[in-house]
Amino acid sequence: MRLLAALLGAILILVTASPADAAPSGRAVRLARTVGVDITVPAAVNLGAGFVGGTLTGQLGVVEVRDSRGPVNPNSWVATVSATVFVTGAGGPQRTIAPGRISYWSGPAVSSAGGGTLVPGQPTSAQAVTLDVPREAFRKSTGTGSNEVSWRPTIRIAIPADVVRGAYRGTITHSVA
């Protein structure tokens, strides 16, 4: 009987781009206040299934920042990450997972080019942070010249013991300024 209860408690977590930004591949966003700095993120990720009261961990795919401003000084930027509530059905009690239950770590750079000091926000799972507030994901702290860096962030979702099973959807947003 316990096995049956555990199977009925399985949920599927989907991380999606906001509906207006959804695309079959990555999407690039240019922020007007930081001309020449672009960020590309995966459009949608299926993290698979987890069990009520358990933990689900998965990678979001490659996030890349390209800074093409050249010798502009100072030439620094900060990429931030935030999350929405994850919801199944119409939401409401026992149908939501709060951002404070979602942990994030950037991991190290998987590739980089150009000058400057590129610093991951959370190099390992030991430095994971919850997404109850926007967090720093990566930054360029010093140096001039064009550069680019990519990383493969991981999230861990602590699934509440009292949620109903279902496909939960939420949005993890990366931005750069």
Side-chain angles (χ1 to χ4, degrees), residues 5 7 22 47 54 60 81 89 103 139 151 158 173:
L7 292 176
L47 293 176
L60 295 179
V81 60
S103 298
R139 68 184 153 95
W151 65 96
T173 302

Side-chain angles (χ1 to χ4, degrees), residues 31 34 36-39 63-69 74-80 112-113 115-121 136-143 145-151 175-177:
L31 300 175
T34 311
V37 181
D38 299 304
I39 188 165
V63 177
E64 181 180 68
V65 172
R66 289 180 183 247
D67 182 349
S68 59
R69 294 177 291 171
N75 188 339
S76 61
W77 50 261
V78 175
T80 58
S112 63
T117 303
L118 300 166
V119 182
E136 182 177 294
F138 231 93
R139 68 184 153 95
K140 179 184 178 204
S141 60
T142 63
S146 297
N147 62 81
E148 62 185 66
V149 64
S150 61
W151 65 96
S175 59
V176 65

Side-chain angles (χ1 to χ4, degrees), residues 30 102 115 146 172:
R30 181 171 296 246
I102 303 168
S146 297
I172 306 286

Side-chain angles (χ1 to χ4, degrees), residues 37-141:
V37 181
D38 299 304
I39 188 165
T40 304
V41 301
V45 177
N46 181 336
L47 293 176
F51 292 98
V52 171
T55 302
L56 180 62
T57 302
Q59 290 191 319
L60 295 179
V62 175
V63 177
E64 181 180 68
V65 172
R66 289 180 183 247
D67 182 349
S68 59
R69 294 177 291 171
V72 171
N73 197 8
N75 188 339
S76 61
W77 50 261
V78 175
T80 58
V81 60
S82 61
T84 65
V85 171
F86 280 51
V87 177
T88 191
Q94 298 179 312
R95 295 181 181 276
T96 61
I97 300 174
R101 299 188 67 87
I102 303 168
S103 298
Y104 173 98
W105 65 95
S106 60
V110 294
S111 69
S112 63
T117 303
L118 300 166
V119 182
Q122 307 79 26
T124 69
S125 61
Q127 288 92 27
V129 292
T130 59
L131 295 180
D132 51 341
V133 296
R135 304 289 185 168
E136 182 177 294
F138 231 93
R139 68 184 153 95
K140 179 184 178 204
S141 60

